[in-house]
Amino acid sequence: MVQNPPLKKEILMPKILKAFIGSYGLVFVILIFCIPVTIIRPVFWSWGNLSNILVQMTVIGVLTMGQVFVLISGGGGIDLSVGSTLAFSAILGAGLIRNSGFPVWAGLLVTLLTGIAVGAFNGLIITKIKISPLITTLAVQTAVRGLVMIYTGGADVTNMPRAYTDIVSKGIGSISWSVVITFAIFFITMVILRYTRYGRELYAVGGNEYAANVSGINVTKIRIAAYTACGLLASVAGIITTARLYTAGPRAGTGMELTAISAAVIGGTSLAGGKGYVSGAVLGVIFLQIIDNTTNLMAIPAAYVSALKGAIILGAAILDRIRSSDKFK
Amino acid sequence: MAKEVILEVSDVGKSFPGVNALENISIQFHKGEVHALLGENGAGKSTLMKILAGIHTPDSGTIRLRGKEVFFNKPKQSMEAGIGMVHQELCLCPHQTAAENVYMGRSPVNKFGFFDWKKLNADAQQIFAQLDMDVRPSDVVGNLSIAKQQMIEIAKAASMNASIIILDEPTSSVTEEERLALFNMIRRLKEKDVAIIYISHRMEEILEIADCFTILRDGHFIVTKPVEGITIDEIITGMVGRTLTYVEHEQSSGQDEPVMEAKGLTRRGVFENISFNVRKGEVLGLAGLVGAGRSEVARCIFGLDKMDSGAIWINGRECSIHSPRSAINYGVGFVTEDRKMDGSVLEMSVQENITLPILKTICKAGFINKTRDHLIARQAIENYGVKTPSPKQKVVNLSGGNQQKVIIAKWLTTNPKVLILDEPTRGIDVGAKNEIYKMINELTAKGLAVIMISSEMPEILRMSDRVIVMREGKITAEIPKKDATQDTIMRFAIQ
C-alpha cells in the first residue's frame, strides 16, 4: 500500500496569492519590457500614467475574462462576437435612456440582458445545432453589427447623463469605479474557476468532454453558461466604454475580440480547451496595455507597435508550446 | 532454427533522466520469423523498439543489420535501412485513399511530372493482393475499420521492401475475424522472409503466431526461447519475475435477489430484446465478438444512448434513465471501454477525477468543500491501491493500470449498486490485471453487482458467475459458470 503524506490544512489566502503570481515568467517579461521606457520617459511610473493604464485596460480586461470562460470550455471554444455585442447592448441601453426616458438603472439592465441574450444565443447554436464556435460567433459578429447600424442609422447616442458616466469619472479616492468593477470581475472569475463546482466541471468539459459526459456532467449546459457569461461580460465592457466616452457609438468594440483572445492566450489559456488561468490572462491584458502605453510615451509609430504586438503574441504561443512539450518536462 | 540472422542487437543500453530504461540488451532476430517481445508495461519494450525505429538513439551497444553495424539518428534512416514500424496509434491520413497512404511521399509520377494515378493504384493493388488483403486501393482510409487501417500501415512498410516489421499491439482493438485476417497477412510476410517483431499483451496470441519470444523485465534481458512447448504460465512467470497465479473469483451463491433487471431492451439496428438480470455480489460476464452490441447495451443502460423500447429495473423498481446523471443517481457506474477517450480527464488531477461525478454532494452553494474533496480522494486512493505520488498528480502521468484504478475508484465513490466494466483490463500488464481482478472480488464480496464485458475469453471464464453471450445484437446463450468453456462460448458467439 502506498504511504500518503499527512493531510495538510489548506488556507485560502496564500493560494490566491499563488494563483496571481503563478505565471511569474510573464511578470518578468513585462518588467524587462519596462526598462527602456523607464530610462527614456521616467514619467511612465507616475501615478497619473499608471492609473491611466488601469482605466484603459478595463474594457479589454473584462472582455478577456469572457474569452477565458469560452476558451476553457473547449470544443474549439472562441467568441468572435463580443466586439459587436459590446456595441449592440450598450447602444440599446443608451438609446432607451437618452431617447425613451428610461431611468439609468433600467437602461443598464437592458444592456446586461442584451449581452446575456446574445451570449446564450451563441451557446445554444453551438451546442444544440452543433455549429463550430468559430463560424457561429463570426456570423453573430457580422449580424449583430448590422443590427446596430439598422438601429442607429450609423449615428452615435451622445451626451449620456452624469449618473451613467460617473461609473468612470467617480470612484474610490482616485481609483475609478470602472477599475474597481474590472478587478472585482477578475476576482469573481478566479473564484468561480478555482473554487466552485461550475469551474471544476468547466475544466473537465474542456479537458475531455466525453469523460465529463460519462461522469454525469451536462456538457451542453456548462458550455451554454460559458457563452452566456461571455456575452454578459461583453455588455459590462459596453457600459464602461460608453461611460468613458459619454457616447455609445455603433462602431465601438470593433476588433476588440481579437485583442481579448490574444491577452488570454499570452496568459497561457489554451485554444484547445481545458486549460487557462485568470492570473495569466490578467497579466496578458496588462502586458498588451503596457506595450500601447510605453510605445506611445516613446512616440513609436503605430505601424511598428502593431508589428511588435504580433511578434509578442506569436512569441507567447511558442513559449507555451515549449513549456508544455515533453522535452521541457 | 537455421534461419539467417538479420538484425542483431548487442549490449544496448539507454537511460533517461532518473531511469535506466534499458541495460545490456542483446537479442538476435531471424529472417522469416515472428519474434514476440514481451514484458510488463515499463519493461523497456517500447524504448527498444523506438531505438530500432530511429526515434531514440542508444547510449551504448551496437545494432547490426545484415551483419553491418548501423546507427540511426532519425526515423527516416531506419526506414531506408528496411525497418518498418507500425505504431499502436495509427498515423494515416483519413481523407485519402488506401493507395495514397501506402505511397505517401513516394507517389509515382509520369513522364510529364504529373501524379500517376494509374500506376499508384496498380502498385497498391499488387501489394494488397500479395498480402491477401481485403482492401481496394481506392478505399478512403477513414471509412475503413481499425484493423484494415492497420493492414494498410503494414502494407506501407512492406511496399518499402522492409525486411523487418515491428507491430506494436496490433490486435488491441480488432474483432476476432479481423485478427485472423491480420494473422494471415503476417504469415504471408513470413513467407517473404520478412522478420516480424510482435508486441502484445495477449498471451494466447503469442502462442498462436510467434515462433520465438524474448522477455524483458525492468529494462533487463531475461530470456529468448522458442515458443514451441512453452506454456502461458511459464511466460508470465518470466515477465513478472515470480510465479503469479491469477486470482480466481469466488462464486456467489446465485441465490441473492437481482439488483438490476433489463427487460427487452431494444435499440433498432443495434440490439434487440435484451433481457437479463444481475444479482447482488455477482459478476455477470458479457461475452461475444467485438461488434456484437455489448458495449452498446451498456451505453443504453447508462443513459449515453437512447433506446427504442425496454425497461430497466433496479431493486424492484422501474427506472427512467435518460442521461448518465440519472443513471448515476439510480446507482449505476460505468467504466468505459476506451480509457483515454472517455475514461478520465487526463490533464486533471487524480483527486479532481475521482470526485467528478459526486461534486454535487461535496458542494455548498456551488462552492466545493476542498477538505472533503481531498479527504474523499485520499480515502479512495488508499482503499483501491492507486499508486500515485499525490492526489494532485495529473492522471496522464500514471501508468495504464493506475489510470484504470482511478476510473474504478471514481465510480466506487458514487456508491453504485451496479458497476458495468467494459474491457476493464485492456492494454494493462499482467500484474496490474491481477490487481483489478482482486478489486472486483473485494467489491462483489461487499455485495456490488458487476457486469463485465470482455473480449478476453480467459478473463470471462475466470471472473464470471454467469456468462451471457451476444451475437449480432441478440443474446444467444446464458451459461452458468460450471458449464462455461471457451468452446461453448465461442460457438454461441459465432453461430
Side-chain angles (χ1 to χ4, degrees):
Chain A
M1 185 98 344
V2 228
Q3 207 60 49
N4 287 308
L7 179 64
K8 259 197 319 217
K9 178 97 184 121
E10 279 156 12
I11 313 154
L12 193 73
M13 202 44 214
K15 269 189 108 178
I16 294 175
L17 264 175
K18 219 170 102 190
F20 263 106
I21 58 173
S23 1
Y24 54 89
L26 198 47
V27 175
F28 195 62
V29 175
I30 294 175
L31 288 178
I32 288 176
F33 199 84
C34 293
I35 293 172
V37 79
T38 311
I39 298 165
I40 302 170
R41 301 297 304 269
V43 70
F44 172 76
W45 293 104
S46 70
W47 172 242
N49 186 53
L50 290 181
S51 68
N52 201 10
I53 291 177
L54 283 180
V55 172
Q56 279 169 352
M57 68 176 266
T58 52
V59 174
I60 289 296
V62 172
L63 289 180
T64 302
M65 291 304 108
Q67 300 292 353
V68 167
F69 277 109
V70 166
L71 290 171
I72 292 175
S73 81
I78 198 163
D79 191 343
L80 298 177
S81 71
V82 290
S84 299
T85 311
L86 178 158
F88 183 55
S89 58
I91 224 156
L92 270 187
L96 289 173
I97 295 168
R98 287 284 292 129
N99 306 329
S100 310
F102 270 49
V104 168
W105 66 264
L108 291 177
L109 190 64
V110 168
T111 298
L112 296 177
L113 290 175
T114 310
I116 288 174
V118 177
F121 179 79
N122 280 329
L124 281 170
I125 299 287
I126 288 161
T127 56
K128 299 279 187 191
I129 311 183
K130 301 196 191 339
I131 308 290
S132 88
L134 186 84
I135 297 299
T136 306
T137 59
L138 186 62
V140 169
Q141 176 199 67
T142 316
V144 168
R145 187 66 72 183
L147 290 181
V148 176
M149 292 302 174
I150 294 167
Y151 178 71
T152 61
D156 292 346
V157 178
T158 53
N159 284 325
M160 294 306 293
R162 274 309 270 284
Y164 197 115
T165 58
D166 277 351
I167 295 169
V168 169
S169 51
K170 289 259 168 62
I172 308 174
S174 58
I175 298 172
S176 156
W177 281 120
S178 63
V179 174
V180 174
I181 292 170
T182 302
F183 277 85
I185 287 171
F186 292 163
F187 183 77
I188 293 166
T189 307
M190 191 196 71
V191 169
I192 290 175
L193 292 180
R194 294 179 65 89
Y195 298 104
T196 68
R197 177 179 168 201
Y198 177 76
R200 179 79 62 84
E201 295 187 343
L202 182 70
Y203 280 108
V205 166
N208 183 344
E209 61 176 297
Y210 305 104
N213 182 35
V214 170
S215 300
I217 295 171
N218 190 330
V219 175
T220 306
K221 255 194 207 164
I222 297 281
R223 287 213 171 119
I224 291 177
Y227 284 92
T228 309
C230 190
L232 170 66
L233 290 169
S235 66
V236 172
I239 292 172
I240 296 174
T241 309
T242 309
R244 203 158 92 205
L245 305 172
Y246 292 41
T247 297
R251 282 165 208 85
T254 308
M256 279 190 180
E257 57 281 339
L258 294 181
T259 313
I261 293 163
S262 310
V265 171
I266 290 172
T269 306
S270 163
L271 288 173
K275 207 178 125 217
Y277 322 93
V278 171
S279 51
V282 170
L283 285 172
V285 173
I286 293 175
F287 191 23
L288 288 179
Q289 209 55 59
I290 281 181
I291 293 171
D292 276 343
N293 183 268
T294 55
T295 50
N296 192 10
L297 284 177
M298 296 189 290
I300 295 172
Y304 290 87
V305 177
S306 180
L308 178 69
K309 271 194 195 166
I312 283 167
I313 294 164
L314 201 56
I318 291 168
L319 250 176
D320 185 55
R321 183 89 206 117
I322 296 169
R323 226 183 299 157
S324 60
S325 74
D326 293 335
K327 276 184 189 155
F328 192 74
K329 283 172 191 165
Chain B
M1 280 217 298
K3 295 250 184 185
E4 201 181 319
V5 174
I6 180 147
L7 178 72
E8 187 175 7
V9 174
S10 10
D11 289 327
V12 162
K14 171 83 186 168
S15 60
F16 294 108
V19 249
N20 280 337
L22 290 176
E23 271 178 79
N24 298 330
I25 303 290
S26 302
I27 310 175
Q28 292 183 336
F29 299 98
H30 299 84
K31 271 189 178 176
E33 262 189 16
V34 177
H35 195 132
L37 196 61
L38 306 169
E40 294 190 87
N41 289 344
K45 292 170 305 198
S46 27
T47 310
L48 181 60
M49 290 308 107
K50 281 180 179 162
I51 287 172
L52 293 180
I55 298 166
H56 291 325
T57 51
D59 296 340
S60 58
T62 55
I63 299 170
R64 274 175 222 279
L65 189 63
R66 298 182 199 88
K68 266 202 298 193
E69 188 168 337
V70 288
F71 187 80
F72 303 134
N73 246 334
K74 293 189 202 111
K76 197 163 178 231
Q77 294 170 343
S78 151
M79 238 185 275
E80 280 164 359
I83 300 180
M85 172 139 185
V86 178
H87 293 270
Q88 201 175 349
E89 273 92 29
L90 301 173
C91 4
L92 295 169
C93 302
H95 299 297
Q96 295 187 292
T97 67
E100 282 178 287
N101 268 290
V102 169
Y103 289 99
M104 185 72 51
R106 305 172 290 139
S107 319
V109 288
N110 61 21
K111 59 188 170 197
F112 303 112
F114 287 107
F115 198 81
D116 192 344
W117 274 103
K118 243 177 159 174
K119 182 166 162 37
L120 176 80
N121 284 334
D123 287 357
Q125 180 60 49
Q126 199 188 344
I127 295 249
F128 294 165
Q130 275 174 17
L131 297 175
D132 244 1
M133 281 165 62
D134 179 26
V135 175
R136 276 179 313 231
S138 58
D139 286 339
V140 173
V141 163
N143 300 338
L144 300 174
S145 68
I146 297 287
K148 285 194 173 158
Q149 295 188 20
Q150 205 132 32
M151 291 179 179
I152 291 170
E153 285 263 24
I154 299 171
K156 187 172 166 182
S159 76
M160 292 185 228
N161 290 318
S163 42
I164 299 155
I165 295 181
I166 303 169
L167 300 176
D168 189 1
E169 296 234 28
T171 57
S172 62
S173 48
V174 305
T175 67
E176 182 66 16
E177 265 169 84
E178 289 171 331
R179 186 182 65 80
L180 294 176
L182 196 70
F183 279 11
N184 204 15
M185 188 172 174
I186 291 175
R187 292 194 185 101
R188 282 298 163 97
L189 287 167
K190 268 177 73 172
E191 284 163 17
K192 293 173 74 182
D193 256 359
V194 174
I196 309 272
I197 305 177
Y198 191 91
I199 301 177
S200 174
H201 281 303
R202 297 196 180 170
M203 297 302 144
E204 296 77 15
E205 280 176 19
I206 307 289
L207 298 189
E208 186 179 341
I209 192 78
D211 299 297
C212 59
F213 67 90
T214 293
I215 294 177
L216 299 184
R217 190 200 311 148
D218 301 329
H220 293 270
F221 171 86
I222 303 298
V223 70
T224 297
K225 268 190 183 170
V227 162
E228 232 177 79
I230 207 89
T231 65
I232 291 180
D233 284 344
E234 282 173 76
I235 298 178
I236 291 177
T237 309
M239 278 168 64
V240 297
R242 58 186 186 276
T243 327
L244 183 134
T245 39
Y246 275 125
V247 279
E248 290 291 328
H249 177 61
E250 268 182 48
Q251 256 210 284
S252 77
S253 66
Q255 301 304 315
D256 289 308
E257 73 275 24
V259 177
M260 197 192 88
E261 288 170 274
K263 299 184 178 176
L265 308 186
T266 300
R267 182 173 160 83
R268 266 191 289 283
V270 185
F271 54 81
E272 218 180 295
N273 199 18
I274 301 294
S275 300
F276 62 84
N277 64 39
V278 54
R279 294 168 198 284
K280 223 175 137 185
E282 183 187 49
V283 177
L284 177 70
L286 224 52
L289 303 180
V290 173
R294 298 168 300 162
S295 302
E296 288 76 5
V297 170
R299 286 179 61 88
C300 271
I301 294 175
F302 194 66
L304 279 162
D305 293 333
K306 298 252 173 307
M307 51 191 160
D308 294 315
S309 62
I312 294 160
W313 290 58
I314 291 173
N315 281 348
R317 272 179 42 220
E318 188 172 348
C319 308
S320 74
I321 292 173
H322 42 80
S323 70
R325 179 81 262 158
S326 56
I328 294 167
N329 293 344
Y330 279 116
V332 185
F334 185 25
V335 176
T336 55
E337 184 180 6
D338 191 333
R339 230 181 9 253
K340 289 211 167 65
M341 216 256 298
D342 53 15
S344 61
V345 186
L346 290 171
E347 285 295 324
M348 286 175 94
S349 69
V350 172
Q351 171 177 336
E352 288 169 325
N353 269 289
I354 286 177
T355 55
L356 206 50
I358 54 155
L359 279 180
K360 197 177 178 181
T361 59
I362 57 168
C363 271
K364 212 171 175 185
F367 283 83
I368 297 169
N369 181 336
K370 292 252 169 175
T371 318
R372 283 197 61 197
D373 188 26
H374 194 78
L375 268 176
I376 290 172
R378 268 177 48 99
Q379 199 72 55
I381 288 168
E382 237 156 73
N383 286 353
Y384 308 116
V386 181
K387 288 192 197 83
T388 172
S390 137
K392 306 264 181 228
Q393 177 74 273
K394 283 185 183 175
V395 172
V396 68
N397 297 329
L398 302 184
S399 69
N402 274 301
Q403 288 182 1
Q404 189 71 328
K405 284 191 211 163
V406 169
I407 298 166
I408 298 178
K410 168 174 90 174
W411 288 115
L412 295 175
T413 56
T414 67
N415 261 326
K417 300 184 185 88
V418 185
L419 185 63
I420 308 172
L421 302 167
D422 195 353
E423 305 286 359
T425 65
R426 171 176 289 173
I428 290 179
D429 64 48
V430 182
K433 262 187 186 180
N434 216 14
E435 288 182 47
I436 303 260
Y437 296 149
K438 272 188 209 154
M439 221 161 144
I440 295 174
N441 281 342
E442 284 167 25
L443 295 170
T444 47
K446 285 183 200 151
L448 185 73
V450 172
I451 301 173
M452 185 182 75
I453 300 172
S454 174
S455 297
E456 285 184 44
M457 204 61 90
E459 183 167 283
I460 286 276
L461 294 173
R462 192 177 306 120
M463 296 304 295
S464 314
D465 289 301
R466 258 187 313 148
V467 182
I468 280 181
V469 188
M470 277 185 71
R471 178 173 58 83
E472 288 171 10
K474 291 188 191 98
I475 290 181
T476 49
E478 182 178 329
I479 312 170
K481 180 165 189 153
K482 60 178 169 41
D483 302 330
T485 64
Q486 201 140 341
D487 280 356
T488 43
I489 294 176
M490 227 28 208
R491 217 174 25 247
F492 284 112
I494 291 171
Q495 294 156 9

